[in-house]
């Protein structure tokens, strides 16, 4: 999308992606919910950008959680390396001072998270808004980080965290057994079943093996499944854990509380390992279809970043509409120019507007369309005079809206 245009094009992948080489809990959940969504997101779009998959949309609310998670990761690593077991340790103050303090850490994390979108053409129009919003939330984000760290307890006298991988000269990273101590951000890989995961915090003691997973959102039963999967992957990772040590404590660290999850027994590990392998095979079979099956549903599609590309989404009645009906998705057919930045159209598909309803599409800046062109609008502002059935529905593109020309 060029910066002087108000719309993108609807693009169909020339090649559908192969199943992931290694499955993760989040990837499996995406495929299980809608194979088409995962496939559209993971396909290559070289005509749009050089990045992997379809350019993701900036979701500011989700970015706030990413900032908190990254700040927790950075501070935990430094506390661990300094041998600090909690924020009550006098040495914790010095560690935080060397980092520049909580506010500085959070501000740096905002910059690092947004930098990940710097080459994303879909995110560019929202970068200023996202930065302004996140900067305004720094005090709140700082409080969230402090609240979670206040409950963190690391082993006393733990040695500095060794790296989980070393890079050979001119070669790929190698993975070696983890020593006793505290290990943040550990990627575990179970090659025998083709699954991987990233543990936020792994503590290995003489008589204890603990996994903590930081959660910046609301509690969810799916989180318990996720952390139990991590216990299985750790047990089956024959490079980091060649002795097959079993986890004896699992913790979900939310902002307001810690929730302990029963670790799986050896029999449960075996059973869950077989289950994960079966789930992987089901996902691979779903992705083998061309195109993969779509499973449109109102709640599922609401958070889909590629719904503009999905014909199944536009063929049904699952189009996103806000609770008050003021914003939503609508497909239009252009009938002619109305003004310098507006076009006459008719509704092709929208959940709360009948087909062929006259419509007026208002843009933020001039753009060109031809009669007969179909335009898919995401998160447009919707308005219509309820007392005048002949009045057109007005669809206005805001800074947070997107429009896609369907050619």
């Amino acid at each position: 999308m060029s910066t002087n245009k108000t719309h993108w094009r609807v693009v169909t992948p020339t090649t559908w992606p192969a199943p992931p080489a290694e499955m993760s809990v989040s990837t499996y959940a995406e495929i299980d919910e809608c194979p088409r969504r995962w496939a559209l997101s993971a396909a290559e779009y070289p005509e749009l950008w050089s990045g992997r998959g379809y350019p993701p949309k900036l979701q500011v609310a989700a970015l706030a959680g990413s900032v908190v998670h990254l700040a927790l990761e950075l501070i935990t690593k430094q506390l661990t390396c300094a041998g600090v077991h909690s924020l009550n340790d006098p040495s914790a103050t010095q560690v935080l001072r060397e980092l520049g303090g909580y506010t500085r850490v959070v501000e740096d994390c905002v910059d690092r998270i947004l930098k990940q979108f710097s080459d994303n053409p879909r995110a560019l129009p929202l970068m200023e808004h996202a930065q302004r919003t996140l900067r305004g939330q720094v005090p709140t984000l700082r409080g969230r980080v402090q609240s979670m760290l206040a409950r963190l307890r690391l082993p006393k006298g733990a040695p500095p965290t060794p790296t989980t991988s070393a890079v050979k000269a001119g070669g790929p990273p190698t993975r070696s057994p983890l020593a006793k101590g505290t290990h943040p951000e550990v990627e575990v890989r179970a090659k025998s079943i083709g699954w991987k995961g990233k543990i936020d915090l792994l503590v290995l003691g003489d008589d204890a093996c603990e996994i903590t997973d930081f959660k910046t959102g609301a509690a969810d039963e799916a989180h318990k499944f996720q952390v139990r999967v991590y216990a299985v992957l750790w047990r089956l990772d024959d490079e980091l854990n060649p002795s097959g040590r079993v986890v004896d404590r699992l913790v979900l660290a939310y902002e307001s509380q810690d929730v302990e999850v029963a670790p799986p027994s050896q029999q449960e590990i075996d059973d869950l390992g077989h289950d994960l392998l079966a789930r992987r095979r089901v996902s691979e079979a779903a992705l083998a279809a061309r195109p993969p099956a779509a499973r449109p549903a109102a709640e599922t599609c609401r958070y889909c970043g590629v719904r503009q590309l999905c014909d199944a989404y536009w063929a049904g009645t699952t189009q996103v509409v806000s609770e008050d009906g003021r914003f939503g998705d609508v497909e239009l057919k252009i009938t002619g120019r109305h003004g310098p930045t507006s076009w006459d159209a008719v509704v092709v598909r929208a959940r709360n507007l009948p087909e062929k309803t006259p419509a007026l599409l208002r843009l933020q800046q001039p753009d060109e369309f031809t009669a007969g062109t179909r335009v898919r609008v995401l998160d447009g502002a919707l308005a219509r005079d309820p007392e005048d059935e002949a009045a057109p529905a007005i669809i206005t593109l805001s800074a947070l809206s997107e429009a896609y020309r369907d050619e």
Side-chain angles (χ1 to χ4, degrees):
M1 176 180 178
S2 61
T3 56
N4 63 345
K5 291 289 186 182
T6 62
H7 63 268
W8 294 55
R9 286 190 304 111
V10 173
V11 180
T12 301
T14 55
T15 304
W16 291 101
E22 292 177 297
M23 191 65 69
S24 68
V25 172
S26 59
T27 298
Y28 169 76
E30 288 184 31
I31 298 172
D32 182 57
E33 195 166 62
C34 182
R36 178 83 59 86
R37 180 178 66 186
W38 182 87
L40 285 171
S41 299
E44 297 298 322
Y45 299 88
E47 65 274 35
L48 295 180
W49 70 325
S50 58
R52 297 180 60 184
Y54 194 84
K57 185 177 181 179
L58 268 180
Q59 301 287 355
V60 177
L63 292 183
S66 298
V67 170
V68 171
H69 201 282
L70 180 58
L72 289 169
E73 174 188 338
L74 296 177
I75 295 174
T76 301
K77 282 184 177 179
Q78 292 304 310
L79 293 174
T80 300
C81 289
V84 177
H85 69 280
S86 79
L87 292 185
N88 295 325
D89 190 314
S91 301
T93 301
Q94 179 60 31
V95 171
L96 290 168
R97 184 179 295 116
E98 291 174 355
L99 287 171
Y102 283 109
T103 299
R104 174 65 180 276
V105 170
V106 172
E107 290 176 342
D108 288 346
C109 288
V110 168
D111 292 338
R112 289 178 60 172
I113 292 296
L114 289 178
K115 187 177 181 180
Q116 297 174 6
F117 294 85
S118 61
D119 62 346
N120 179 341
R122 191 179 181 190
L124 292 180
L126 294 175
M127 288 293 281
E128 184 177 346
H129 166 75
Q131 185 173 54
R132 184 171 59 251
T133 301
L134 290 175
R135 286 287 183 181
Q137 294 178 358
V138 165
T140 301
L141 299 178
R142 168 186 167 144
R144 293 171 63 182
V145 172
Q146 288 177 290
S147 174
M148 297 182 74
L149 285 175
R151 301 193 311 274
L152 185 65
R153 295 293 182 271
L154 303 173
K156 292 185 178 181
T161 303
T163 57
T164 59
S165 63
V167 180
K168 293 181 179 180
T174 59
R175 306 171 80 245
S176 55
L178 295 186
K180 182 178 70 173
T182 304
H183 306 271
E185 296 295 306
V186 177
E187 184 177 71
V188 283
R189 301 171 64 185
K191 295 180 180 179
S192 59
I193 59 174
W195 278 69
K196 68 177 181 179
K198 182 169 285 188
I199 296 171
D200 288 338
L201 191 65
L202 173 68
V203 177
L204 299 176
D206 290 329
D207 302 312
C209 177
E210 303 177 6
I211 288 177
T212 297
D213 199 44
F214 297 123
K215 294 299 182 186
T216 58
D220 191 316
E221 284 298 310
H223 298 160
K224 296 180 181 180
F225 171 74
Q226 180 181 23
V227 77
R228 283 170 63 86
V229 169
Y230 289 166
V232 173
L233 302 186
W234 162 250
R235 168 66 178 81
L236 298 180
D237 191 324
D238 56 9
E239 294 176 319
L240 300 187
N241 183 24
S243 64
R245 254 187 109 165
V246 176
V247 173
D248 49 37
R249 186 168 184 254
L250 297 174
V251 178
L252 291 170
Y254 294 99
E255 291 181 30
S256 61
Q257 63 176 334
D258 288 344
V259 175
E260 295 215 19
V261 178
S265 65
Q266 183 59 61
Q267 182 60 54
E268 289 174 323
I269 289 174
D270 293 340
D271 293 342
L272 188 49
H274 291 308
D275 177 62
L276 293 175
L277 181 58
R279 290 178 187 235
R280 175 185 173 82
R281 288 171 176 166
V282 169
S283 294
E284 290 174 341
L287 294 176
R290 293 293 182 264
R295 297 170 184 165
E299 285 304 308
T300 302
C301 296
R302 179 178 299 276
Y303 304 104
C304 176
V306 288
R307 62 184 189 268
Q308 66 279 8
L309 309 182
C310 181
D311 290 341
Y313 172 73
W314 295 101
T317 57
T318 57
Q319 288 79 38
V320 172
V321 179
S322 63
E323 291 185 3
D324 59 11
R326 295 173 56 198
F327 298 90
D329 296 354
V330 55
E331 184 173 21
L332 302 170
K333 182 177 181 180
I334 301 296
T335 58
R337 181 183 287 279
H338 185 88
T341 59
S342 60
W343 292 82
D344 293 317
V346 294
V347 172
V348 175
R349 187 75 64 181
R351 181 142 61 102
N352 60 345
L353 293 171
E355 186 178 351
K356 297 183 179 180
T357 298
L360 177 64
L361 176 62
R362 290 178 172 174
L363 312 177
Q364 286 192 311
Q365 58 188 12
D367 203 351
E368 292 298 323
F369 296 101
T370 58
T373 298
R374 293 196 179 195
V375 179
R376 293 174 176 176
V377 175
L378 303 188
D379 300 315
L382 310 178
R384 193 182 187 193
D385 187 346
E387 299 181 357
D388 185 357
E389 294 184 358
I394 300 175
I395 295 90
T396 304
L397 295 186
S398 70
L400 302 181
S401 306
E402 293 181 328
Y404 291 79
R405 181 196 299 263
D406 186 2
E407 300 175 337

